[in-house]
Amino acid sequence: MSIKNNLIAIKEKLSKEVTLVAVSKTKPNEAILEAYEAGQRVFGENKIQEMTQKWETLPKDIQWHMIGHVQRNKVKYMAEFVSLVHGVDSFRLLLEINKQAKKHDRVIPCLLQMHIAEEETKFGLDTLELDAMLNSEEFAALENIRIEGLMGMATFTQDQEQVRKEFASLKSIFDNLKQKLPDITVLSMGMSGDYGIAIEEGSTMVRIGSSIFGARNYS
Ligand SMILES: *Cc1c(COP(=O)(O)O)cnc(C)c1O
C-alpha cells in the first residue's frame, strides 16, 4: 500500500467532524510530501527540533501539531509557527508558551493533556490539577494561549475494554470542562491501534502514524 492509499482508506473510516493528524515523526520529507500531494495538510511531530526543520523546508500551508512531551526550553523554536500543542501538562509550560507566543504577537492554540492510562510513564494532568489550574487567577490572565480542548493516550494493551474505559473517562472530563470553557471543541484521542474505539467514544481528532507511513525505524 502506498501512503496515498493508506490515507484514503483511513479517511473513509473518519466522519467529516474528525480531524486526521498524520504523525510523521522520524519520517523523511519525501514521505510527508507524498501525503501532502494526496491532500493531507495536518501533520504531527513529537520532537520540536525535528518539526522545526521540517517546517523550514516543506510547504508553508502545512499545519504542524506538536503531539509529544514539550520541554519548556524548546518552546521558543516552535512559537512562530506551531498550529496546535497537544501535550500541555503543566501550568509552567503554559506560561512559557504564552510568553513565547507574545513575542510573535500571536495566540497559540493548546490542548491540555490528561493522564488517563494505567501506566505511570504517560504524561498528563489529573482532574484535581486541571481544576486547580483553571481556577487560578494566573490562568485567567494568559492572553497569548487558547485552550481548545483535551488530549490523552490510553494504556498500551490488547485489552480493548480497558482502552474504551480510558477514552470514555477522557470524554467525560471533556464534557465537564465544556461547562466551564464552552468554546472548547477538540478531543484528541486515538492512534493507529485504537482510533476506532476512540471515535466511538467521542474523539474529534486522531493522531495516526504507522498506519499511514508504515512502521517507524528508530535505529
Ligand atoms: C507516535 C505518536 C502517535 C502515532 O502513533 P501510531 O501508533 O504510529 O499511529 C500518536 N500520538 C502520539 C502522542 C505519538 O507520540
Side-chain angles (χ1 to χ4, degrees):
M1 287 282 267
S2 66
I3 288 171
K4 181 180 180 182
N5 288 341
N6 290 341
L7 272 172
I8 291 170
I10 290 166
K11 284 270 191 189
E12 271 172 5
K13 292 186 216 155
L14 304 179
S15 72
K16 282 210 164 46
E17 290 73 48
V18 177
T19 302
L20 173 60
V21 181
V23 176
S24 49
K25 61 191 185 195
T26 80
K27 298 295 175 182
N29 285 355
E30 298 77 67
I32 296 173
L33 280 172
E34 206 177 317
Y36 180 88
E37 271 145 31
Q40 183 66 25
R41 290 293 180 275
V42 182
F43 292 87
E45 291 282 335
N46 72 338
K47 296 216 163 65
I48 291 175
Q49 261 138 331
E50 184 178 342
M51 179 172 77
T52 303
Q53 282 168 4
K54 288 172 173 173
W55 166 69
E56 281 167 354
T57 47
L58 287 161
K60 284 292 175 286
D61 62 339
I62 288 179
Q63 296 164 41
W64 293 103
H65 287 199
M66 182 63 214
I67 63 169
H69 183 65
V70 177
Q71 288 170 276
R72 269 178 295 135
N73 60 352
K74 292 187 180 153
V75 171
K76 55 180 178 283
Y77 301 117
M78 66 173 175
E80 180 182 350
F81 67 91
V82 69
S83 287
L84 183 63
V85 182
H86 289 233
V88 178
D89 62 354
S90 75
F91 186 66
R92 293 209 308 166
L93 174 57
L94 205 54
L95 270 181
E96 178 64 14
I97 296 172
N98 187 72
K99 179 177 154 193
Q100 298 299 333
K102 205 181 179 80
K103 290 187 185 166
H104 293 279
D105 195 24
R106 64 182 293 237
V107 174
I108 296 184
C110 294
L111 304 180
L112 299 173
Q113 181 172 1
M114 301 301 298
H115 184 276
I116 53 168
E118 274 187 342
E119 294 144 341
E120 288 285 332
T121 53
K122 300 254 159 90
F123 296 101
L125 302 160
D126 63 34
T127 49
L128 286 178
E129 292 167 327
L130 176 68
D131 283 343
M133 185 157 118
L134 297 177
N135 291 330
S136 73
E137 282 174 28
E138 297 99 311
F139 175 80
L142 299 180
E143 291 185 336
N144 294 78
I145 56 99
R146 186 174 60 242
I147 303 298
E148 299 213 321
L150 298 177
M151 180 270 210
M153 290 169 85
T155 304
F156 187 71
T157 171
Q158 296 301 322
D159 183 349
Q160 309 242 314
E161 283 318 302
Q162 172 76 23
V163 170
R164 185 176 296 282
K165 209 174 67 191
E166 291 172 359
F167 285 149
S169 80
L170 186 57
K171 172 69 158 85
S172 105
I173 298 167
F174 178 83
D175 289 341
N176 282 330
L177 181 59
K178 220 169 155 62
Q179 300 181 359
K180 193 173 289 170
L181 303 177
D183 293 335
I184 60 170
T185 54
V186 180
L187 183 52
S188 167
M189 58 184 195
M191 326 193 340
S192 291
D194 57 19
Y195 73 92
I197 302 176
I199 289 166
E200 284 168 14
E201 297 303 327
S203 171
T204 70
M205 186 174 279
V206 291
R207 310 175 308 269
I208 300 183
S210 40
S211 291
I212 297 171
F213 296 106
R216 284 176 294 275
N217 182 355
Y218 286 104
S219 66

